[in-house]
Amino acid sequence: MKKQEILQQCKQKNVRFVHLQFCDLLGIVKSVTIPIDKLEEAIDHNVWFDGSSIEGFTRIFESDMYLQLDLSTFALIPWESDDEEATARVICDVFLPNGKPFEGDPRQILRRQVERAKKLGFEYNVGPELEFFLFPTDETGKAYPVPHDSAGYFDYSSDRGVGIRRLMSDSVTKMGVEVESIHHEVAPGQHEICFKYNSAIAQADQVVTVKTALRAIAKDHGLHAAFMPKPIAGVNGSGMHVHQSFSKDGKNAFYDAKSKYNGLSLTALQFIAGQLHHLPEIVSITNPTVNSYKRLVPGYEAPVYIAWGQTNRSALIRIPRLTAGRTEGTRCELRCPDSSSNPYLAFAVMLAAGLNGIEGKYAIPEPIDENIFEFTDKKARRMRIRTVPGSLHEAVAKSEKSALVREVLGEHSFEKFIEAKKSEADSYRLYVTQWELDQYLDNY
């Protein structure tokens, strides 16, 4: 939309306030709210703010930054609007006083890798699947991890989330997200929303939009939408599987009718090889919390084995089987990421790993089309199948040594991210859990 179209729509809908949103390094949404009479000035002259207290942004003596509005992200916020007045949202890019994009802006970090792909003629498309739990809240609004229903995968009669999922779907659709499906997942109280693939930056914007919307709708109904990877022990955790493909000259660059690998082109195979090779280095970004590694354990359908397979859901990278003639749907699905990740950073390192595979002409190993979940450790070693890092501490150690991660994040953000994640891992290592008290207090 152009400026005048946005101003006209704001007048028609009686918009009173506009939230100018951006993300910090850890993916937490930040916002500066302006009254509607300041919107035109904000569009023309940007909005200054103090970045010194934002995670991963500037130091106190270099705090001045400004937000540049991306008008393509303008949307009315359904849960803050009614027939009489409305509130809108615009996602912004972060700039330094000298007019240069701030290298630590997560959107800018992803944009650098998108531009790298464009130089090779590729547009990177992603389609995430967000899993989440709905939990009840007490009178103060605090959530407690007890499933709000007892339903299972695709259940209907015992699924208490049908109505609220419909409201969630309606809300994000009004904000420009094309929902493809929303349904109950495997664990009690667990759900999934899938939306149509899009270019990487637009899709990262939509991930942020969807998470914000789902939390708001849930809160309005006395529930909490939790994107925590493993909130309940003993049941499946929540991931963010990401379907990926390249388009080139209007065609799917991952498709080759002559390929012996389910229609995968050489470009696709090298892309997959790059992700398999670099995966241990980037997991601290695709799975960035201590709790992420409670999900990435064998036995709960979590993809912990670094391998690829054609239709094999036990492999880290899966190639969905296609209906004959649907060449545009050729893609690979990376199954380890979760929704606690910053989507801009996650897509950036995933793309960089794949591009390294293409530029370096990495050789892909043979696909594994057996159930890897049933492999013994001995068999996995014999087949040279590695596993993802087993903890945030281990994952950060691998990222700290990674030239790829350092290059993608940039020196400033790399140091800030590693520092923050080391601190988080160390804090957890020092914490005495209830499990330890139950196991050891009386016996030792």
Side-chain angles (χ1 to χ4, degrees):
M1 297 176 68
K2 296 180 180 179
K3 182 180 77 171
Q4 291 305 321
E5 293 174 325
I6 289 174
L7 295 176
Q8 182 62 30
Q9 183 174 353
C10 288
K11 183 177 181 179
Q12 291 175 346
K13 298 295 184 180
N14 194 24
V15 172
R16 294 191 60 200
F17 294 96
V18 181
H19 300 317
L20 309 182
Q21 295 181 348
F22 60 102
C23 278
D24 70 8
L25 194 61
L26 302 183
I28 306 301
V29 177
K30 305 294 182 178
S31 179
V32 175
T33 302
I34 60 174
I36 189 60
D37 61 353
K38 299 296 182 182
L39 178 58
E40 185 171 10
E41 180 182 350
I43 294 173
D44 291 339
H45 302 293
N46 310 307
V47 174
W48 289 83
F49 74 103
D50 177 4
S52 63
S53 296
I54 305 296
E55 184 70 54
F57 279 30
T58 56
R59 294 165 291 186
I60 191 68
F61 57 84
E62 52 183 24
S63 58
D64 288 338
M65 313 180 86
Y66 66 83
L67 300 175
Q68 186 176 89
L69 284 65
D70 182 345
L71 300 187
S72 70
T73 66
F74 175 86
L76 299 180
I77 301 177
W79 58 92
E80 294 187 27
S81 305
D82 54 34
D83 292 336
E84 295 183 0
E85 60 184 45
T87 302
R89 182 282 322 260
V90 179
I91 296 175
C92 302
D93 292 304
V94 182
F95 282 76
L96 297 173
N98 61 9
K100 293 182 179 180
F102 173 49
E103 70 166 12
D105 176 11
R107 250 180 149 228
Q108 178 63 19
I109 289 172
L110 176 55
R111 185 173 286 113
R112 290 197 294 267
Q113 295 306 310
V114 168
E115 292 301 320
R116 179 184 167 195
K118 284 184 178 179
K119 290 179 181 178
L120 298 175
F122 300 124
E123 181 173 9
Y124 181 47
N125 298 311
V126 291
E129 302 171 350
L130 272 67
E131 296 172 339
F132 61 98
F133 282 85
L134 288 177
F135 293 132
T137 58
D138 62 20
E139 61 277 3
T140 68
K142 181 178 177 59
Y144 47 100
V146 177
H148 79 120
D149 67 26
S150 59
Y153 198 44
F154 287 152
D155 281 352
Y156 184 77
S157 59
S158 57
D159 178 5
R160 296 177 59 192
V162 175
I164 193 169
R165 288 202 308 269
R166 186 183 301 120
L167 291 173
M168 290 172 169
S169 179
D170 287 344
S171 292
V172 298
T173 298
K174 290 176 182 177
M175 297 189 75
V177 178
E178 186 173 344
V179 176
E180 292 198 323
S181 67
I182 185 165
H183 61 84
H184 203 286
E185 257 294 338
V186 174
Q190 187 183 35
H191 310 266
E192 178 179 282
I193 181 169
C194 304
F195 33 104
K196 187 177 180 179
Y197 74 90
N198 208 333
S199 57
I201 296 174
Q203 196 68 297
D205 290 342
Q206 292 198 341
V207 170
V208 172
T209 297
V210 168
K211 290 173 65 176
T212 302
L214 267 54
R215 286 198 185 101
I217 301 303
K219 183 178 180 181
D220 285 347
H221 290 78
L223 296 169
H224 174 67
F227 294 92
M228 180 179 176
K230 188 79 168 184
I232 304 176
V235 301
N236 286 20
S238 293
M240 183 181 71
H241 303 164
V242 183
H243 295 256
Q244 310 167 88
S245 65
F246 277 164
S247 57
K248 186 174 186 178
D249 300 327
K251 297 181 180 180
N252 190 329
F254 273 16
Y255 178 73
D256 181 357
K258 299 178 181 178
S259 172
K260 68 175 182 178
Y261 292 122
N262 203 21
L264 290 175
S265 66
L266 177 61
T267 295
L269 295 172
Q270 291 174 340
F271 180 91
I272 293 167
Q275 289 197 335
L276 292 174
H277 177 82
H278 291 290
L279 200 283
E281 306 167 41
I282 68 174
V283 169
S284 71
I285 294 174
T286 60
N287 304 81
T289 67
V290 165
N291 185 254
S292 296
Y293 300 86
K294 302 294 179 72
R295 167 182 169 254
L296 293 179
V297 294
Y300 295 96
E301 298 185 12
V304 298
Y305 300 100
I306 302 177
W308 74 289
Q310 301 173 92
T311 75
N312 184 359
R313 292 180 183 273
S314 66
L316 189 85
I317 295 179
R318 180 179 78 97
I319 311 303
R321 190 176 296 281
L322 303 177
T323 304
R326 290 193 60 198
T327 60
E328 75 280 0
T330 305
R331 63 195 186 276
C332 64
E333 176 191 16
L334 183 64
R335 296 173 59 78
C336 65
D338 66 55
S339 297
S340 68
S341 64
N342 181 328
Y344 301 100
L345 302 190
F347 296 164
V349 293
M350 289 160 53
L351 174 55
L355 290 175
N356 275 12
I358 294 170
E359 293 174 338
K361 296 181 170 54
Y362 290 10
I364 194 167
E366 287 297 311
I368 305 296
D369 288 319
E370 302 176 62
N371 186 351
I372 308 177
F373 293 147
E374 297 178 355
F375 282 13
T376 63
D377 290 343
K378 183 178 180 180
K379 183 175 181 180
R381 286 194 300 270
R382 187 173 70 247
M383 300 184 71
R384 298 182 178 179
I385 298 175
R386 299 172 296 161
T387 59
V388 299
S391 68
L392 180 61
H393 179 79
E394 181 184 345
V396 172
K398 291 185 180 298
S399 292
E400 189 173 17
K401 298 176 181 178
S402 170
L404 179 147
V405 174
R406 184 182 292 271
E407 181 180 356
V408 170
L409 296 189
E411 198 65 34
H412 172 87
S413 296
F414 177 82
E415 291 179 0
K416 291 292 185 181
F417 183 85
I418 295 297
E419 178 185 355
K421 290 300 151 182
K422 276 187 173 181
S423 176
E424 182 178 341
D426 287 342
S427 177
Y428 177 69
R429 291 169 69 191
L430 294 172
Y431 182 73
V432 178
T433 65
Q434 187 61 47
W435 183 92
E436 292 168 280
L437 295 174
D438 293 341
Q439 290 290 318
Y440 306 130
L441 187 60
D442 289 339
N443 293 330
Y444 294 95

